[in-house]
């Protein structure tokens, strides 16, 4: 797996060569630094490349991590992720840039933390249709979940029953996105479609 | 936000359209591609609103077609817009003419601006 960590800048829309208007997300991916290389023959037992993005204050980074980043001759980073079985050719401390990983037209996935939605009911959270009837003596129950089980048998609510609760704020991968355009000088990737998270949140773009 | 502006500037063309506003009567020449043939269709109606900003700005044109109200939204930077011709300058008091949707016939007319008549 190859990829790069970037920051979601926001969305816009552009016209493609057929004149179709496509919604795009702009990702700013400053060069990532390779901070660790794991290999199948080494102590780790598998091949992986650890890439790191951004910068963190040294006083807010644990000494263990400061030492870890010093090994790669770099400063503390905001986020580090592992890419297993990566085909990126890089040494410890090397920079991975946008153009090293992607070309225009690539099919990519975006991994990020979705926006937190708070405590939500079943209609928004699980796509239930609600009760829907305004008549037939109905009142006050338009978005209620309905029955959650049978009666004295099984005498319990089945595990995994979809109910109201916290929604969002989870790690999600969106597949089958497409790279519309790259701006290597500005470290920008333009991707067709939406990407999880708020503006400024970190996303892993992988292919 | 600057990165968004940069991308928009790099990836979209600028159409040279005349300035118009809500209430104006316009004729939009729109390119239609059928297979390998290209033709131009003219869509004429009143500008209901101008929406958005920057390169994603759009305008909505409403017309009556066989007694049915039809609204079309055109992006200002669309490469499919060949030209826009302003036929009448309307005299209206608001920027969004949603009230026209509830009106038909003579009530749905927009007064023409007196001093700007062409």
């Amino acid at each position: 797996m190859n990829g790069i960590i970037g920051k979601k800048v926001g969305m816009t829309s552009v016209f493609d060569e057929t004149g179709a208007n496509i919604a795009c997300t702009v990702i700013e991916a400053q060069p990532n630094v390779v901070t660790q290389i794991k290999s199948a023959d080494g102590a780790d037992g598998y091949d992986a490349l650890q890439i790191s993005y951004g910068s963190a204050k040294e006083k807010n980074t644990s000494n263990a991590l400061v030492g870890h980043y010093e090994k790669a001759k770099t400063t503390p980073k905001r986020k580090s992720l592992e890419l297993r079985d990566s085909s990126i050719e890089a040494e410890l401390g090397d920079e991975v840039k946008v153009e090293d990983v992607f070309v225009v037209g690539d099919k990519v996935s975006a991994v990020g933390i979705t926006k937190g939605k708070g405590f939500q009911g079943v209609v928004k959270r699980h796509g239930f249709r609600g009760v829907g009837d305004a008549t037939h003596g109905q009142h006050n129950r338009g978005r209620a979940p309905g029955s959650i089980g049978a009666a004295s048998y099984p005498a319990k609510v089945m595990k995994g029953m979809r109910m109201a609760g916290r929604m969002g704020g989870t790690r999600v991968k969106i597949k089958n996105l497409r790279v519309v355009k790259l701006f290597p000088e500005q470290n920008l990737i333009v991707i067709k479609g939406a990407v999880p998270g708020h503006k400024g949140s970190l996303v892993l773009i992988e292919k | 936000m600057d990165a968004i502006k940069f991308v928009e500037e790099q990836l979209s063309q600028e159409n040279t359209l005349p300035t118009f506003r809500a209430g104006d009567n316009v004729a939009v020449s729109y390119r239609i591609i059928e297979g390998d043939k290209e033709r131009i269709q003219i869509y004429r109606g009143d500008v209901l609103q101008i929406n958005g900003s920057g390169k994603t700005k759009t305008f909505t044109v409403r017309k009556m077609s066989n007694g049915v109200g039809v609204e079309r939204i055109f992006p200002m930077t669309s490469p499919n817009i060949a030209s826009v011709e302003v036929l009448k300058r309307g005299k209206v008091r608001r920027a969004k003419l949603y009230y026209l949707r509830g009106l038909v016939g003579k009530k749905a007319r927009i007064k023409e601006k007196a001093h700007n008549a062409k």
Side-chain angles (χ1 to χ4, degrees):
Chain A
M1 192 177 75
N2 294 337
I4 198 162
I5 306 170
K7 191 176 81 177
K8 176 171 169 178
V9 181
M11 292 191 73
T12 183
S13 69
V14 300
F15 291 92
D16 67 6
E17 50 300 331
T18 60
N21 195 355
I22 48 177
C24 293
T25 311
V26 180
I27 309 281
E28 184 186 26
Q30 301 293 348
N32 289 186
V33 179
V34 176
T35 44
Q36 195 179 6
I37 296 170
K38 297 184 174 180
S39 67
D41 353 297
D44 304 302
Y46 62 95
D47 285 316
L49 204 66
Q50 188 190 69
I51 53 170
S52 302
Y53 170 92
S55 62
K57 283 184 184 163
E58 195 167 327
K59 74 174 174 82
N60 296 335
T61 312
S62 71
N63 282 334
L65 273 176
V66 171
H68 174 73
Y69 291 121
E70 258 171 20
K71 261 192 204 171
K73 299 194 173 50
T74 181
T75 51
K77 297 292 175 198
R78 182 170 160 195
K79 181 86 179 171
S80 294
L81 285 174
E82 239 177 55
L83 304 173
R84 279 192 83 146
D85 302 320
S86 171
S87 64
I88 301 172
E89 300 270 341
E91 298 289 316
L92 202 59
D94 278 2
E95 286 192 336
V96 179
K97 291 183 180 157
V98 168
E99 68 268 30
D100 302 338
V101 188
F102 303 112
V103 290
V104 171
D106 274 352
K107 238 184 192 186
V108 294
S109 304
V111 186
I113 310 283
T114 56
K115 280 184 188 171
K117 302 283 193 293
F119 192 99
Q120 294 297 335
V122 290
V123 174
K124 188 182 179 84
R125 191 171 183 227
H126 298 299
F128 285 18
R129 279 156 190 175
V131 178
D133 278 339
T135 74
H136 299 299
Q138 192 76 254
H139 126 97
N140 264 350
R141 286 187 52 81
R143 296 174 71 91
S147 169
I148 57 169
S152 51
Y153 181 81
K156 62 177 178 178
V157 175
M158 291 299 175
K159 268 195 176 166
M161 179 61 59
R162 293 172 296 166
M163 293 192 191
R166 285 275 182 101
M167 184 183 171
T170 52
R171 187 186 154 102
V172 163
K173 179 191 275 190
I174 307 289
K175 294 179 181 175
N176 289 327
L177 302 171
R178 197 162 50 77
V179 176
V180 174
K181 184 82 181 171
L182 294 172
F183 293 102
E185 256 172 51
Q186 285 77 18
N187 299 308
L188 295 178
I189 316 170
V190 183
I191 292 173
K192 179 184 174 180
V195 156
H198 54 82
K199 287 176 194 169
S201 70
L202 296 186
V203 282
L204 172 68
I205 309 296
E206 59 179 43
K207 97 172 171 178
Chain B
M1 271 306 116
D2 280 341
I4 297 275
K5 259 193 184 150
F6 172 79
V7 169
E8 285 174 355
E9 252 145 52
Q10 294 291 314
L11 294 184
S12 59
Q13 54 152 33
E14 191 71 58
N15 279 339
T16 45
L17 304 180
T19 50
F20 54 86
R21 42 167 300 179
D24 292 353
N25 192 269
V26 294
V28 182
S29 303
Y30 195 77
R31 287 194 195 96
I32 292 184
I33 295 153
E34 290 164 330
D36 51 355
K37 269 187 281 183
E38 193 188 293
R39 67 187 172 86
I40 282 181
Q41 193 182 61
I42 294 169
Y43 183 89
R44 190 187 156 165
D46 297 327
V47 178
L48 204 70
Q49 61 169 329
I50 293 173
N51 206 353
S53 62
K55 303 282 180 179
T56 53
K57 207 177 191 176
T58 60
F59 61 100
T60 306
V61 182
R62 179 182 170 89
K63 75 165 179 182
M64 296 304 283
S65 173
N66 299 326
V68 182
V70 177
E71 279 176 29
R72 257 185 100 165
I73 302 169
F74 297 98
M76 290 276 193
T77 55
S78 171
N80 291 328
I81 292 181
S83 68
V84 175
E85 196 190 340
V86 181
L87 305 169
K88 274 182 208 164
R89 302 272 178 192
K91 186 182 163 191
V92 290
R93 305 180 93 169
R94 49 210 83 224
K96 316 276 179 191
L97 309 180
Y98 300 139
Y99 67 88
L100 283 180
R101 289 172 176 161
L103 304 178
V104 286
K106 284 189 172 180
K107 284 220 165 103
R109 282 176 306 177
I110 297 171
K111 256 194 186 166
E112 196 170 344
K113 249 187 198 173
H115 57 279
N116 230 339
K118 225 189 200 172

